[in-house]
Amino acid sequence: QPDLTVAENAKPGDPLWQATPRGGEHEIEGYADKVSVLPGETFRLRVSTTAAHYTATAFRMGWYGGAGARRVWRSSRLPGTVQEPARTIPGTRTVTAAHWKPGPAVDTADWPEGSYLIRLEAGTGARRFVPITVRSASTEGRLVVVNGVTTWQAYNLWGGRSLYQGPGGFDDRSTAVSFDRPYDTSGARLFLDMERPAIEVAERSGVPLAYITNLELEDDPHILDGARGMVSLGHDEYWSAGMRRTVEAARDQGVNLAFLGANAVYWRIRFASTPLGPNRLVVCHKDGRVDPTTDRWRVTEPESSLTGPMYTCFPAEATYVVHTPDNWIFEGTGVRRGTSFPGLAGVETDEVLPTMPLPRPMEVLSVSPVDCSGRPTTAHSAYYTAPSGAGVFSTGTMRWVCAMRGSACE
């Protein structure tokens, strides 16, 4: 069977896929009624715009000779409408746009599996993204790229509230956030900053890839059966018990894991339904006295038993320093012990803490002294081998994926 990743990336890309100019705050914005679909399934957009008309264009993100994306679909010109303002649900202070009128249905027939951005373009020229994943039904024999949608939603301030803040600060935050709303800023901020560079490198490499979101880790305990490996990308902080059990079971069956960010598996979440479907609400009270099921994982089951290093610093600013250059992770790089990469360790970092449960045997690959707002600490990359033979790599820094851009990483 020809390598589908190679064949897909040999197709002509479209370097003009970006969503600029963004326009005014509510000039155009929208969301999809599904987080992911199988190839050939349909999803529906819900769009609000102050313009008289708009178009929607779907781009599959990849390498494509450096273009970064391929256009797979474009709508006809669609009539614009200004939807009702966001609503806030009392109790959880959840912001929702579930009451928006449905827009066009989008058929994904002939869309290859992958990470997609739907670009909404108002007649005025303003542009915003709507992310959607065309997921893989089977991951067997492939490297699985996981879009970290629960963390995207946790930080999403659209409508004035996220899991971090509301109009009145932290105490006014949402304790549950919904996928039934657009994302803030460009519509795809965390995907573009924390995931796209790694996806571009993976697609350029020609390795056979599968794509899922972390909702599939919750929905299907067998989604990773037979996979070669799973990649957690640059910011993957919010994990349910189902997600964690799926990944741990895969590791224990020989599936390799890579955590390319820092602060993974930090907040424990649970899912609930919204008017648009199951698992479209991410619940996280961040207070074990209110809800013991949505506290930090480390309170009851430290994440280090899965990841190795665990989160200890924000904001971190440090030089990444190689400690074990003969590990296979560094093969072909020419690094030596003490080789340093200024700025690579940050803006959150992880550390191997001997007082926490740790997998053995584990190699510490980097030892980077960190200034954590005046408090000295250390950042570690690490690699361990599970009893199943699976290898687990953790970068220990949130800037690893950004650095895949090379000098363009700031």
Side-chain angles (χ1 to χ4, degrees):
Q1 179 182 345
D3 190 324
L4 299 178
T5 304
V6 172
E8 172 62 26
N9 280 272
K11 296 175 181 176
D14 186 343
L16 303 178
W17 55 267
Q18 290 86 351
T20 50
R22 197 181 296 166
E25 186 180 0
H26 298 293
E27 200 166 335
I28 190 162
E29 54 198 350
Y31 68 95
D33 66 356
K34 293 179 182 172
V35 174
S36 71
V37 293
L38 291 168
E41 289 185 341
T42 297
F43 64 92
R44 194 173 284 277
L45 292 169
R46 298 190 179 209
V47 179
S48 180
T49 179
T50 56
H53 57 82
Y54 72 96
T55 56
T57 309
F59 295 94
R60 184 186 182 277
M61 310 309 292
W63 170 240
Y64 300 107
R70 179 173 77 87
R71 191 178 90 177
V72 300
W73 170 82
R74 182 178 172 85
S75 74
S76 58
R77 197 166 83 156
L78 300 164
T81 184
V82 178
Q83 301 269 14
E84 292 182 33
R87 295 178 185 168
T88 302
I89 299 171
T92 58
R93 296 180 293 274
T94 299
V95 175
T96 180
H99 54 285
W100 281 12
K101 293 182 179 67
V106 183
D107 182 357
T108 64
D110 303 322
W111 293 25
E113 298 161 14
S115 294
Y116 284 78
L117 295 178
I118 313 298
R119 189 179 69 197
L120 306 175
E121 183 169 354
T124 55
R127 295 174 170 181
R128 297 288 172 91
F129 284 132
V130 176
I132 191 161
T133 301
V134 177
R135 69 181 185 269
S136 305
S138 168
T139 64
E140 188 171 354
R142 293 188 277 174
L143 180 66
V144 185
V145 175
V146 184
N147 294 133
V149 296
T150 55
T151 300
W152 301 357
Q153 201 55 257
Y155 284 87
N156 180 13
L157 260 172
W158 188 89
R161 281 186 169 88
S162 68
L163 289 179
Y164 290 83
Q165 62 181 354
F170 180 76
D171 290 339
D172 197 26
R173 73 194 183 281
S174 298
T175 54
V177 287
S178 173
F179 286 100
D180 302 346
R181 59 174 178 156
Y183 286 102
D184 60 10
T185 64
S186 68
R189 174 172 56 92
L190 286 184
F191 171 79
L192 292 170
D193 290 350
M194 298 291 182
E195 302 194 4
R196 187 180 78 86
I199 287 169
E200 201 168 85
V201 168
E203 296 244 332
R204 186 180 189 181
S205 75
V207 170
L209 300 175
Y211 282 88
I212 61 172
T213 75
N214 46 23
L215 294 189
E216 280 72 62
L217 298 175
E218 167 76 12
D219 291 340
D220 183 357
H222 298 288
I223 189 64
L224 299 176
D225 286 3
R228 290 171 62 181
M230 185 206 86
V231 180
S232 161
L233 296 163
H235 201 177
D236 198 6
E237 188 177 346
Y238 286 79
W239 283 54
S240 68
M243 290 165 55
R244 184 165 178 178
R245 301 298 166 244
T246 296
V247 173
E248 288 174 337
R251 175 199 61 185
D252 295 344
Q253 292 166 13
V255 178
N256 303 301
L257 307 176
F259 293 92
L260 298 189
N263 197 13
V265 204
Y266 185 73
W267 287 110
R268 181 172 174 153
I269 60 172
R270 57 185 168 84
F271 292 98
S273 298
T274 75
L276 298 190
N279 293 352
R280 288 185 65 83
L281 194 69
V282 177
V283 182
C284 190
H285 287 268
K286 298 192 172 184
D287 187 340
R289 296 166 299 179
V290 175
D291 181 1
T293 69
T294 63
D295 205 343
R296 293 171 179 86
W297 271 103
R298 61 187 58 183
V299 173
T300 53
E301 191 179 349
E303 60 271 29
S304 54
S305 67
L306 172 60
T307 61
M310 61 195 294
Y311 167 69
T312 58
C313 181
F314 171 81
E317 190 60 49
T319 295
Y320 183 96
V321 183
V322 175
H323 181 69
T324 313
D326 56 349
N327 184 277
W328 71 268
I329 291 286
F330 297 119
E331 188 174 330
T333 64
V335 299
R336 302 179 180 183
R337 178 175 282 206
T339 297
S340 62
F341 297 89
L344 180 56
V347 59
E348 295 181 346
T349 53
D350 294 350
E351 185 175 358
V352 175
L353 297 177
T355 56
M356 289 294 180
L358 289 170
R360 305 285 186 184
M362 185 169 69
E363 277 191 283
V364 173
L365 307 182
S366 68
V367 179
S368 307
V370 175
D371 174 5
C372 191
S373 292
R375 174 177 63 88
T377 184
T378 306
H380 294 124
S381 296
Y383 181 84
Y384 73 86
T385 304
S388 66
V392 180
F393 171 57
S394 292
T395 69
T397 170
M398 196 172 276
R399 291 198 181 129
W400 191 274
V401 168
C402 180
M404 291 178 168
R405 295 187 193 128
S407 59
C409 181
E410 296 177 358

